[in-house]
C-alpha cells in the first residue's frame, strides 16, 4: 500500500466497481496524488489520474506511451473499453493502468471523488469512508427530503454535496466550487447567532436568508456520541420543513454521523459482500449459508422490491441504480436498520428481518408501512412502484417471496393508475386480467366484444357509447346514477343503451356478455393496451 496516497487499484476499490472497472492493471500499484483532464497541449502532472473523456478504446494503445512518459499511473476512458490484446499489451509495456468509467457516471463527480479520496487517504486502516459513498449518501438523502444538501465540517469546509444544486443560491454554489463557505456568509451567520443555536440543538433549524439574493435554509448539527462533526444544510423553497420532513432531516443527520465514523449501514468495506449475499439468498443459492452470514437465519423475512414503472434505465445504468437503491437503503437504515439491500436487473430489493415470534400479518403490515413511507418521500415526480413480497419463515422460502414481489412489480408496471405500493392480494384481479391479455397477444388475438365494436363506432361517428357502457356496468345498471356520472339526462342514457344493443347485440341480462365487456374494459385499462 502507498505510504500516503492510494494506489490506482486502491482508488478503484474505494470508488467501487460500479463506477470504475479495472481493464488493464499495468500501473495499478502506483500512487495517485491528483486528477487531471487529458489535454495534449497542456502541462503534464506526474502522479495524477488522467481522465480522458474524448479518447476511444481504439485510440488507447497508441496513447499509452505518451501517458506513461508524462508520469500518469493510470488513465480513465468512458465505457465500453474492451480488454483487447492491444490494450493489455500496451498497458503492460508502459506500466500504465487502464480504467473504464461506467455508463451514466459523471466525469466531474469522479474528479471530485478522486480528489477527496486522495486527500483523506489513511493508509492501512481500511475503514476510511469512501468519498463516492458520502456523495451517494447525500444524493439519497436529497431524494428523501426533496431538497439539495451540503455537508460541511466544523471548520465549514465542504465535505460533500448532493445533486440538484441548480436549485440552490449563488452563495451555496460558490461554497461548493471553493470547497468552503464564503467568509462573509460565515460572519453573517455567526453574527445572527445561528451557529450557537445549531450547537445547542439536536433539532433542525430554519435559517432565514443571509443576503438579499440568498435562499432560506434548514440546518442541523451532525453529531456522533456528543461530538460535533459538522453541519448539514438543505436549501428550501422558502418555508420551514414540516414535522415529518424535519424528523427525516434529523434522522439523515444521524445516518451521516454514523457514516463519518465508519459505523453506518453501507459505509464499510463489506458492503459489496452484503449485497452479494442478499442476491444469493434471493436466488436461493446456498440460502442457509447466506442467511447465516447476514445474521438473519432465524428471523422471519419479508421482501420489498422497487422499480420505476417506466423503467429505471438499462441494467448497467449506474446512475439509475444509484438513484433508486441509495434512497431506499437510506430510508431503511433509518426506519428498519437490520434491512439489507441489493440490485438485480432494473429493480432494487430489500430483505427485512422480523422477530420469529411476529405474525406473518404483522410483518407484512410493517413492510407495507415502510414501503408507503418511501413512496411518499421518494416518489415525488417519479413513476415509482413498490411491491411487498410474501413472508419467508426459513431462508429456503425467500426465493418464493421474491418471486411474488417480482410478480407484483410486473402487474404494477402494467397498470395505468393506482396506488404505488401493493402486495399480491391488492393486484390479483389485475394479474388475472394481465395474464389473459398476454395469452391473447401470444395467440395473435384480441377480444372482439361489445367494447371493441363500440370503440370503432365512437371513433368514426364521434359518439360516446363506450363511456355509456362503462358507467352502466360500473353502477350495476342504475340508469339514474350512471347518467349523472357522464352528465346526460336519463332518457338520453336509455337511448344510448338501446343504440348499444342495436350495434352489438349486448344483453345486460346475460352474465357472459357482462363478463366479456368487463374483461375488455379491464384489458384496455392496462399500460400498452
Amino acid at each position: 500500500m502507498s505510504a500516503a496516497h492510494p494506489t490506482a487499484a486502491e482508488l478503484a476499490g474505494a470508488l467501487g466497481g460500479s463506477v470504475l472497472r479495472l481493464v488493464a492493471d499495468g500501473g495499478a500499484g502506483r500512487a495517485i496524488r491528483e486528477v487531471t483532464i487529458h489535454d495534449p497541449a497542456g502541462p503534464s502532472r506526474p502522479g495524477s489520474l488522467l481522465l480522458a473523456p474524448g479518447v476511444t478504446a481504439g485510440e488507447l494503445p497508441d496513447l499509452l506511451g505518451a501517458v506513461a512518459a508524462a508520469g500518469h499511473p493510470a488513465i480513465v476512458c468512458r465505457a465500453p473499453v474492451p480488454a483487447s490484446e492491444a490494450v493489455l499489451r500496451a498497458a503492460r509495456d508502459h506500466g500504465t493502468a487502464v480504467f473504464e468509467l461506467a455508463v451514466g457516471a459523471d466525469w466531474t463527480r469522479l474528479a471530485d471523488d478522486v480528489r477527496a479520496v486522495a486527500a483523506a487517504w489513511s493508509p492501512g486502516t481500511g475503514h476510511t469512508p469512501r468519498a463516492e459513498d458520502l456523495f451517494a449518501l447525500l444524493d439519497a438523502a436529497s431524494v428523501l427530503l426533496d431538497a439539495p444538501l451540503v455537508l460541511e465540517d466544523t471548520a465549514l469546509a465542504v465535505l460533500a454535496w448532493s445533486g440538484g444544486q441548480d436549485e440552490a443560491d449563488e452563495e451555496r454554489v460558490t461554497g461548493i466550487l471553493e470547497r468552503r463557505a464564503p467568509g462573509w456568509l460565515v460572519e453573517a451567520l455567526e453574527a445572527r447567532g445561528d451557529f450557537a443555536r445549531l450547537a445547542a440543538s439536536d433539532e433542525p433549524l430554519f435559517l432565514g436568508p443571509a443576503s438579499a439574493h440568498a435562499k432560506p435554509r434548514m440546518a442541523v448539527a451532525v453529531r456522533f456520541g456528543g461530538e460535533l462533526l459538522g453541519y448539514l444544510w438543505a436549501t428550501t423553497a422558502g418555508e420551514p420543513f414540516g414535522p415529518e420532513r424535519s424528523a427525516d432531516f434529523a434522522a439523515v443527520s444521524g445516518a451521516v454521523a454514523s457514516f463519518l465514523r465508519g459505523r453506518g449501514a453501507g459505509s464499510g468495506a463489506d458492503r459489496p459482500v452484503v449485497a452479494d449475499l442478499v442476491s444469493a439468498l434471493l436466488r436461493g443459492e446456498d440460502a442457509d449459508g447466506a442467511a447465516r452470514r447476514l445474521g438473519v437465519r432465524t428471523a422471519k423475512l419479508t421482501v420489498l422490491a422497487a422499480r420505476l414503472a417506466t423503467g429505471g434505465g438499462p441494467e448497467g445504468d449506474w446512475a439509475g441504480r444509484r438513484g433508486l437503491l441509495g434512497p431506499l437503503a437510506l430510508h431503511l437504515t433509518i426506519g428498519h436498520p437490520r434491512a439489507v439491500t441489493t440490485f438485480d436487473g432494473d429493480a432494487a430489493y430489500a430483505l427485512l428481518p422480523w422477530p420469529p415470534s411476529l405474525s406473518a400479518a404483522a410483518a407484512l403490515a410493517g413492510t407495507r408501512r415502510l414501503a408507503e413511507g418511501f413512496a411518499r418521500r421518494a416518489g415525488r415526480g417519479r413513476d415509482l412502484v413498490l411491491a411487498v413480497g410474501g413472508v419467508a419463515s426459513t431462508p429456503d422460502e425467500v426465493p418464493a417471496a421474491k418471486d411474488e414481489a417480482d410478480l407484483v412489480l410486473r402487474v404494477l408496471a402494467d397498470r395505468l393508475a393506482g396506488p404505488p405500493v401493493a402486495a399480491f392480494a391488492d393486484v390479483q384481479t389485475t394479474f388475472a386480467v394481465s395474464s389473459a391479455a398476454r395469452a391473447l397477444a401470444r395467440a395473435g388475438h384480441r377480444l372482439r366484444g361489445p367494447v371493441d365494436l363500440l370503440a370503432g363506432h365512437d371513433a368514426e361517428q364521434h359518439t360516446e357509447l363506450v363511456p355509456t357502457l362503462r358507467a352502466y356496468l360500473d353502477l350495476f345498471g342504475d340508469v339514474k346514477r350512471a347518467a349523472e356520472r357522464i352528465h346526460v339526462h336519463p332518457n338520453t342514457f336509455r337511448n344510448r343503451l338501446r343504440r348499444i344493443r342495436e350495434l352489438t347485440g349486448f344483453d345486460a341480462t346475460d352474465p357472459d356478455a357482462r363478463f366479456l365487456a368487463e374483461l375488455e374494459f379491464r384489458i384496455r385499462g392496462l399500460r400498452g393496451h
Side-chain angles (χ1 to χ4, degrees):
M1 179 176 287
S2 167
H5 301 282
T7 66
E10 289 167 343
L11 179 67
L15 296 181
S18 62
V19 180
L20 283 182
R21 182 178 73 88
L22 181 62
V23 177
D25 62 358
R30 297 166 60 190
I32 298 290
R33 294 175 173 81
E34 242 295 355
V35 59
T36 188
I37 303 296
H38 175 56
D39 181 3
S44 62
R45 301 174 69 179
S48 62
L49 178 70
L50 186 64
L51 308 186
V55 175
T56 66
E59 298 170 318
L60 265 177
D62 294 333
L63 180 63
L64 287 181
V67 171
H72 300 293
I75 184 172
V76 182
C77 298
R78 173 69 75 187
V81 182
S84 66
E85 180 59 34
V87 168
L88 295 175
R89 185 187 310 109
R92 184 173 57 250
D93 292 347
H94 298 293
T96 303
V98 175
F99 290 99
E100 173 190 82
L101 180 65
V103 173
D106 181 73
W107 287 102
T108 303
R109 174 59 62 82
L110 174 65
D112 290 335
D113 287 353
V114 170
R115 292 189 182 100
V117 170
W121 188 254
S122 178
T125 66
H127 297 295
T128 301
R130 304 192 308 179
E132 186 267 343
D133 280 348
L134 188 54
F135 281 98
L137 177 59
L138 261 64
D139 277 338
S142 176
V143 171
L144 296 181
L145 295 168
D146 194 26
L149 302 174
V150 173
L151 174 65
E152 295 175 345
D153 64 15
T154 54
L156 303 183
V158 175
L159 300 178
W161 59 92
S162 72
Q165 297 298 331
D166 53 321
E167 301 174 20
D169 51 38
E170 184 176 344
E171 286 84 354
R172 179 51 63 204
V173 174
T174 299
I176 289 173
L177 293 176
E178 297 181 356
R179 302 296 192 272
R180 184 172 296 278
W184 70 264
L185 178 60
V186 174
E187 292 175 2
L189 296 178
E190 285 181 338
R192 294 194 322 193
D194 289 341
F195 288 117
R197 291 169 58 208
L198 285 169
S201 175
D202 290 327
E203 300 299 320
L205 302 178
F206 178 71
L207 307 179
S211 74
H213 304 290
K215 294 181 178 180
R217 292 174 173 78
M218 292 293 297
V220 64
V222 178
R223 290 187 176 86
F224 187 87
E227 177 189 3
L228 181 64
L229 304 180
Y231 307 97
L232 193 59
W233 308 85
T235 302
T236 74
E239 298 292 332
F241 285 171
E244 183 177 70
R245 287 177 79 193
S246 289
D248 289 345
F249 196 26
V252 165
S253 171
V256 170
S258 294
F259 179 89
L260 290 174
R261 282 293 176 256
R263 301 182 185 182
S267 63
D270 62 344
R271 185 185 63 167
V273 175
V274 170
D276 288 344
L277 289 171
V278 176
S279 295
L281 185 51
L282 290 171
R283 292 191 297 264
E285 299 172 357
D286 186 19
D288 195 71
R292 183 183 298 107
R293 294 182 64 187
L294 288 169
V296 298
R297 184 171 176 269
T298 61
K300 189 164 287 180
L301 300 167
T302 54
V303 175
L304 179 62
R307 70 183 293 268
L308 299 178
T310 51
E315 184 172 334
D317 186 342
W318 169 80
R321 287 179 173 222
R322 176 161 137 166
L324 180 60
L325 183 59
L328 177 61
L330 177 59
H331 175 70
L332 293 175
T333 295
I334 294 169
H336 197 81
R338 291 189 65 202
V340 285
T341 57
T342 191
F343 210 101
D344 184 25
D346 61 355
Y349 293 90
L351 196 63
L352 289 78
W354 303 91
S357 59
L358 193 69
S359 70
L364 288 174
T367 305
R368 180 185 283 271
R369 282 193 298 272
L370 288 164
E372 289 172 343
F374 181 66
R376 189 169 59 252
R377 293 168 174 83
R380 307 178 189 94
R382 303 202 300 175
D383 200 4
L384 177 69
V385 292
L386 295 104
V388 178
V391 178
S393 298
T394 66
D396 289 338
E397 295 175 359
V398 170
K402 175 186 179 292
D403 288 344
E404 184 171 314
D406 287 339
L407 185 152
V408 175
L409 276 186
R410 290 195 297 272
V411 175
L412 290 174
D414 276 346
R415 288 193 320 191
L416 289 174
V421 178
F424 180 71
D426 304 310
V427 298
Q428 52 190 339
T429 301
T430 306
F431 169 67
V433 172
S434 180
S435 299
R438 288 192 173 93
L440 287 165
R442 286 194 299 269
H445 295 294
R446 78 168 190 265
L447 295 180
R448 300 182 184 277
V451 178
D452 184 66
L453 295 172
L454 294 176
H457 185 274
D458 281 354
E460 293 176 3
Q461 303 298 322
H462 305 290
T463 51
E464 296 184 359
L465 300 180
V466 168
T468 300
L469 182 58
R470 173 79 274 180
Y472 182 77
L473 292 173
D474 284 350
L475 294 166
F476 306 101
D478 188 326
V479 171
K480 184 177 183 298
R481 292 174 59 209
E484 290 174 352
R485 172 182 284 190
I486 64 173
H487 309 294
V488 299
H489 192 277
N491 288 340
T492 302
F493 196 90
R494 293 187 183 93
N495 289 335
R496 289 185 182 181
L497 287 177
R498 193 160 38 249
R499 185 60 175 154
I500 288 171
R501 286 193 293 270
E502 291 172 356
L503 291 171
T504 68
F506 175 73
D507 180 2
T509 65
D510 182 350
D512 287 342
R514 291 199 309 272
F515 177 76
L516 177 58
E518 285 281 10
L519 186 57
E520 284 186 283
F521 276 122
R522 294 295 184 121
I523 290 176
R524 287 164 64 90
L526 298 175
R527 192 184 301 271
H529 292 273

